[in-house]
Amino acid sequence: MSPMFVPGPVDVDPEVLAAQARPMLPHRSKEFESIYRRAWEKSRQLFFTQSRVFIVTASGTGLQEAAVRNLAHQDILSCVNGAFSKRWHEVALANGKRADLLEVAWGKPITPEMVADALRKKQYEIILVTHNETSTGVENPIAEIAAAVHDMSPETLVCVDAVSSLGGVKVEMDAWGLDLVLTSSQKCLAVPPGLALVAVSDRAMARAEQVPNRGWYFDLVRMEKHLLKDSSPATPALSLIYALDLQLDRILAEGLEIRFARHRAMSQRVQGWAQESGLEIFAAEGYRSQTVTTLSNTFNLDISALNAFLLERDMRIANGYGPLKGKTFRIAHMGNTQMAEIESLLATLDEYLSETTAIRLKSL
Ligand SMILES: Cc1ncc(COP(=O)(O)O)c(C=O)c1O
């Protein structure tokens, strides 16, 4: 194992990796259909939902596309406070939808008040919100945002990108009244990349039936017809589903509450360490991610050199994303990562910081 403190793809347990080596089955066979069924049924527990969950052979971006194509004829409100929420907005526009931006500075959260304000001005069919902005390390208050939507505009469907939080942070789809929640396999679920999961409410399915031009591959109505037969419209990535099936058992055996507490504790440790070290946390206080911490590069570190130092010790972290490259760097604490691994990363970072400070002081 090489601890990858990067926000996906994360390290995968060797047994889960090995599960992929199981021989193929015909995907329309009873044997495979029963694996598929137990995988999607188990995954409902991660979403805290009684609704259907589609397991799709794609990465999360594919499901960003599915959301806008299936649930809106035209009018979408995109909440943007980072690179991945911005991508979702671009996906909406690329699919010919009329999407309005509710944008705040990167590092700041989307608040329920902002959403209520936007809904007061215009009626939207769906709102797109990203739970955990992996670029900035901001966790948006989804439950409160959803409550504001239900108050102001009950017909508006709430769509949530939980790509870098689901399975690491509690997302209560049914209790919060969310209509579509999507995630990818390679982050908190700790499965290799290539699968995306989406839970869809009954009223979102009813909306999809009314929306034309949903496309073919990501048509939720078509997926539902197949799911009723424990199957998918096209050939699924069987090997990845074998891995997901096993990893779901491992996640549920750990216990969801314990898993969430582990993620929270690791985020608090990293963020506490950052503050003690004089590093600035990029995300606004009160809205800091439990799965990835984005740090401002206040010491002007060469992130490639830092990663080369870490790699010699079998570790790696992530540079800032997009426009934040070089200006920030990110420490992920998600998936199977344990506190002991975080401790050894922080000790190594301390070593690096004291070496670079000594070099800097000498050159003054
Ligand atoms: C919050 C968020 N949304 C969407 C995506 C895109 O997901 P994928 O790379 O699985 O398509 C990412 C990827 O990092 C992400 O972090």
Side-chain angles (χ1 to χ4, degrees):
M1 286 255 270
S2 69
M4 300 241 285
F5 302 96
V6 301
V10 300
D11 283 314
V12 178
D13 190 274
E15 272 183 41
V16 174
L17 277 178
Q20 295 178 97
R22 182 181 167 161
M24 291 299 110
L25 289 165
H27 65 288
R28 308 268 182 235
S29 63
K30 284 280 159 262
E31 295 105 298
F32 182 71
E33 284 165 3
S34 72
I35 297 172
Y36 195 70
R37 182 186 189 91
R38 67 174 187 244
W40 82 258
E41 285 189 343
K42 275 184 287 196
S43 63
R44 289 202 290 200
Q45 297 180 54
L46 303 180
F47 291 87
F48 289 80
T49 189
Q50 298 299 316
S51 290
R52 77 245 347 112
V53 176
F54 301 116
I55 302 171
V56 180
T57 302
S59 74
T61 308
L63 290 177
Q64 288 188 332
E65 185 143 296
V68 303
R69 286 197 76 126
N70 280 269
L71 303 186
H73 295 79
Q74 274 300 345
D75 288 311
I76 296 178
L77 179 64
S78 313
C79 301
V80 173
N81 60 341
F84 295 102
S85 43
K86 183 162 180 258
R87 180 186 299 181
W88 208 357
H89 177 63
E90 288 165 2
V91 167
L93 295 177
N95 278 283
K97 305 295 176 180
R98 243 180 348 238
D100 290 344
L101 262 180
L102 191 178
E103 192 168 18
V104 299
W106 290 24
K108 301 271 183 289
I110 303 289
T111 66
E113 294 74 26
M114 293 171 193
V115 169
D117 248 16
L119 294 175
R120 211 168 279 128
K121 293 184 194 128
K122 186 169 162 183
Q123 177 74 32
Y124 291 99
E125 294 167 86
I126 62 174
I127 171 172
L128 312 178
V129 201
T130 297
H131 183 210
N132 191 75
E133 240 311 341
T134 323
S135 56
T136 60
V138 167
E139 183 181 301
N140 287 312
I142 292 297
E144 292 79 2
I145 290 171
V149 177
H150 299 141
D151 265 6
M152 284 300 302
S153 177
E155 297 304 308
T156 304
L157 301 180
V158 182
C159 301
V160 175
D161 171 332
V163 165
S164 57
S165 55
L166 199 102
V169 181
K170 199 171 201 174
V171 178
E172 293 188 76
M173 168 147 178
D174 291 356
W176 299 351
L178 310 178
D179 292 290
L180 179 147
V181 181
L182 66 92
T183 198
S184 306
S185 54
Q186 76 277 14
K187 305 219 187 243
C188 297
L189 301 185
V191 169
L195 290 180
L197 286 78
V198 64
V200 186
S201 72
D202 287 344
R203 68 176 196 147
M205 287 307 301
R207 170 77 62 79
E209 281 175 19
Q210 307 304 316
V211 173
N213 303 321
R214 299 186 297 272
W216 200 101
Y217 194 71
F218 291 120
D219 177 1
L220 298 177
V221 178
R222 186 184 305 275
M223 286 184 202
E224 169 97 323
K225 282 192 190 126
H226 283 267
L227 195 68
L228 293 172
K229 298 181 282 175
D230 300 323
S231 165
S232 59
T235 317
L238 277 81
S239 317
L240 288 168
I241 290 168
Y242 299 153
L244 174 68
D245 181 38
L246 176 60
Q247 177 63 1
L248 286 169
D249 289 339
R250 298 172 71 97
I251 290 174
L252 297 173
E254 178 182 7
L256 288 176
E257 295 299 338
I258 292 171
R259 192 174 175 84
F260 300 149
R262 175 166 59 80
H263 281 77
R264 197 176 320 117
M266 293 190 298
S267 66
Q268 287 166 352
R269 175 71 183 105
V270 169
Q271 289 160 17
W273 167 85
Q275 279 164 332
E276 281 161 25
S277 312
L279 287 158
E280 204 179 292
I281 299 167
F282 189 75
E285 202 173 345
Y287 299 94
R288 290 176 177 159
S289 167
Q290 299 173 60
T291 62
V292 59
T293 297
T294 300
L295 296 167
S296 298
N297 190 3
T298 30
F299 297 161
N300 233 344
L301 301 171
D302 175 342
I303 309 299
S304 307
L306 166 58
N307 245 338
F309 180 86
L310 291 173
L311 263 179
E312 282 169 16
R313 290 146 184 89
D314 272 340
M315 301 174 188
R316 62 179 96 210
I317 58 162
N319 205 326
Y321 191 90
L324 294 179
K325 190 170 176 189
K327 297 184 185 137
T328 63
F329 57 98
R330 294 171 297 159
I331 299 175
H333 24 81
M334 63 169 71
N336 296 333
T337 303
Q338 300 294 324
M339 188 63 101
E341 292 167 313
I342 291 289
E343 292 298 352
S344 64
L345 172 72
L346 298 183
T348 313
L349 286 171
D350 277 337
E351 202 188 317
Y352 185 80
L353 289 178
S354 60
E355 271 182 31
T356 48
T357 313
I359 293 167
R360 225 181 294 140
L361 288 177
K362 232 190 252 169
S363 69
L364 288 180

